[in-house]
Amino acid sequence: MDPLAAAVVAGAPADELARIDVPSHYTAVHLRAEDAGKFTGVADKDVRKTLHVGPVPMPELAPDEVLVAVMASGINYNTVWSAMFEPRSTFGYLRRFARGGRWAARHDQPFHAVGSDAAGVVVRAGTGVRRWRVGDEVVVSPVYVDDEEPATHADGMLGESMVAWGFETNFGGLAHYCVARASQLLPKPARLTWEEAASNPLCAGTAYRMLVGERGARMTQGDVVLVWGAAGGLGAYAVQLVRSGGGIAVGVVSSEEKAAYARSLGCHAVVDRARIGLTGRAPADPAAVGKRLGRCVRDAVGEDPHIVFEHVGRATFGVSVFVVRRGGTVVTCGSSTGYRHEFDNRYLWMRLKRIIGSHGANLHEQAAVHRLLDLGHVRPALTVTYPLHETAEAARLVQCNLHTGKVGVLALAPRPGLGARNEAE
């Protein structure tokens, strides 16, 4: 551990942190450009073969950026995609991003430091940063926007330059340090540990925009919401948002262990995928699976779902369009089982259903769900943590869908349970 990182871990005051030199290199979980073709023709794209932990060069800080000493981070499925080089190599994203000028050009490297969640301490702030200072404890939103683009001021997600931090940019959160724009930061909730705080931004923000935000499904009290993957990272937050918003959550899971976890989060009912004959692949007859699922939902809560929370993709999308009620909404943010979806359009157009695409969360939405976490109305979905040097194993767990909730990673934090403070402190 370098002297600056050691000082952060020891709780050194801001003036001391400002005096210690920033290291020339730092430890990061990263991909290597020469591995980009590693999985060509390979069935099992094991991410443990491409996620490396080791030193990478420290970038120069842009005027609108901060350097954060990362205490904890988390695994998101975009890290799995990155490590599989699917749907395409993220080195292509970095090259495209680098065309944006001098500061963007730093991101085009033969390595890609990944990770889209982080909680830590600001150790440097660019000359143009106004709201954040060395020593501030922060969490990092995964949405990287250009505040000079007009559309950004209507909705940060609509700007053409919006990208996913740590996925389409370099210097992400699975590291001892990360580089973020000041517009990505929110104060770390004092009541949460480092790993709890780091587990929330991507999944909680995404679920909030999908369900509660005015650009999503706009869930209201009494709505029946079907949540695919209700025991996973996204699903765990979706279930809690449905519960706290007065909705009725029906979760779909793949084991009794996951069913118990989903119930503990607030699911009114849980359906096992095996019960409706749904494997990991898209069913030959989505309507038949949808009929079985519909009966399960009606038996449990008495009516069809108003909203389907969809992020599984190819294996479930046709079923989602079928099972949502007349006039209902399927809101989708991802496709972990495949991007090419097939559904019977008759059930969409003739029954007046809607499909809403959703992606991340703007900073206003992120702050809203952040407040719910700070108040304790939504709890972190963290269930397990790994040390940074075992990040590849953590990512493999998510790749194989063997996890519940959110998988955390300790970066500089020496052990779990640190960072929580009483309000009086």
Side-chain angles (χ1 to χ4, degrees):
M1 190 180 295
D2 67 272
L4 180 56
V8 171
V9 173
D15 58 348
E16 182 178 338
L17 297 179
R19 289 195 299 268
I20 302 173
D21 290 338
V22 173
S24 62
H25 289 71
Y26 67 101
T27 299
V29 178
H30 61 278
L31 305 171
R32 296 172 182 166
E34 64 262 29
D35 289 340
K38 196 178 191 74
F39 293 133
T40 302
V42 176
D44 181 11
K45 299 175 175 61
D46 187 340
V47 297
R48 293 173 295 186
K49 297 178 180 179
T50 54
L51 286 170
H52 306 278
V53 182
V56 298
M58 179 71 74
E60 183 183 0
L61 205 61
D64 62 347
E65 290 178 340
V66 295
L67 180 66
V68 177
V70 181
M71 301 300 284
S73 184
I75 303 297
N76 294 294
Y77 209 86
N78 66 6
T79 293
V80 174
W81 283 327
S82 295
M84 294 192 298
F85 304 101
E86 287 188 355
R88 59 192 61 169
S89 169
T90 53
F91 288 96
Y93 299 148
L94 299 185
R95 287 191 293 272
R96 182 179 64 190
F97 185 71
R99 295 197 289 265
R102 173 195 170 189
W103 298 111
R106 299 166 300 158
H107 293 255
D108 185 7
Q109 301 287 343
F111 66 88
H112 184 188
V114 295
S116 295
D117 277 328
V121 178
V122 175
V123 292
R124 290 294 184 273
T127 56
V129 175
R130 300 181 304 278
R131 294 174 60 92
W132 304 100
R133 300 288 184 269
V134 172
D136 287 347
E137 297 183 351
V138 297
V139 295
V140 183
S141 163
V143 174
Y144 191 100
V145 304
D146 182 353
D147 61 7
E148 295 183 8
E149 190 172 344
T152 299
H153 294 271
D155 175 11
M157 304 307 300
L158 293 180
E160 289 292 337
S161 301
M162 187 280 299
V163 291
W165 174 72
F167 177 63
E168 296 168 288
T169 74
N170 217 325
F171 320 122
L174 285 163
H176 283 175
Y177 296 94
C178 68
V179 175
R181 281 184 169 156
S183 57
Q184 293 177 251
L185 302 186
L186 289 167
K188 173 191 168 291
R191 61 189 297 274
L192 299 184
T193 65
W194 289 117
E195 64 273 17
E196 288 173 335
S199 69
N200 302 314
L202 189 149
C203 285
T206 298
Y208 184 91
R209 182 181 175 97
M210 289 175 72
L211 289 172
V212 183
E214 62 183 37
R215 297 167 182 85
R218 304 183 75 171
M219 182 193 73
T220 61
Q221 290 188 358
D223 279 353
V224 176
V225 182
L226 181 71
V227 180
W228 290 104
L234 272 171
Y237 290 105
V239 169
Q240 293 185 78
L241 289 168
V242 173
R243 179 206 64 205
S244 63
I248 301 166
V250 179
V252 183
V253 298
S254 58
S255 70
E256 184 49 45
E257 176 190 6
K258 293 185 176 184
Y261 180 63
R263 291 187 189 98
S264 75
L265 295 169
C267 267
H268 289 73
V270 180
V271 178
D272 193 305
R273 289 167 61 110
R275 181 180 173 191
I276 57 174
L278 189 62
T279 64
R281 298 182 179 181
D285 187 354
V289 175
K291 288 176 182 178
R292 290 193 288 270
L293 178 56
R295 284 194 292 271
C296 291
V297 174
R298 288 189 295 275
D299 288 346
V301 300
E303 51 186 319
D304 291 325
H306 297 78
I307 299 166
V308 176
F309 183 90
E310 166 66 64
H311 56 99
V312 179
R314 182 176 177 82
T316 59
F317 200 85
V319 179
S320 296
V321 172
F322 179 88
V323 80
V324 73
R325 70 172 59 198
R326 179 184 291 270
T329 301
V330 177
V331 59
T332 179
C333 75
S335 299
S336 56
T337 61
Y339 304 95
R340 295 189 179 276
H341 303 170
E342 294 184 6
F343 62 91
D344 189 330
N345 197 43
R346 294 172 298 176
Y347 295 108
L348 184 72
W349 110 69
M350 296 180 70
R351 297 185 182 175
L352 294 86
K353 303 177 183 186
R354 295 185 301 154
I355 296 173
I356 297 176
S358 191
H359 184 47
N362 62 40
L363 195 63
H364 184 265
E365 293 161 335
Q366 194 75 60
V369 74
H370 190 79
R371 176 173 175 267
L372 296 177
L373 287 153
D374 206 10
L375 293 170
H377 293 183
V378 174
R379 74 175 194 251
L382 183 74
T383 59
V384 64
T385 58
Y386 284 73
L388 189 69
H389 68 271
E390 293 182 12
T391 297
E393 292 292 340
R396 179 63 171 175
L397 192 72
V398 174
Q399 182 183 26
C400 297
N401 194 30
L402 298 175
H403 66 299
T404 56
K406 193 71 185 284
V407 177
V409 173
L410 297 177
L412 290 173
R415 62 182 184 278
L418 302 177
R421 306 182 192 278
N422 297 323
E423 292 185 3
E425 291 185 285

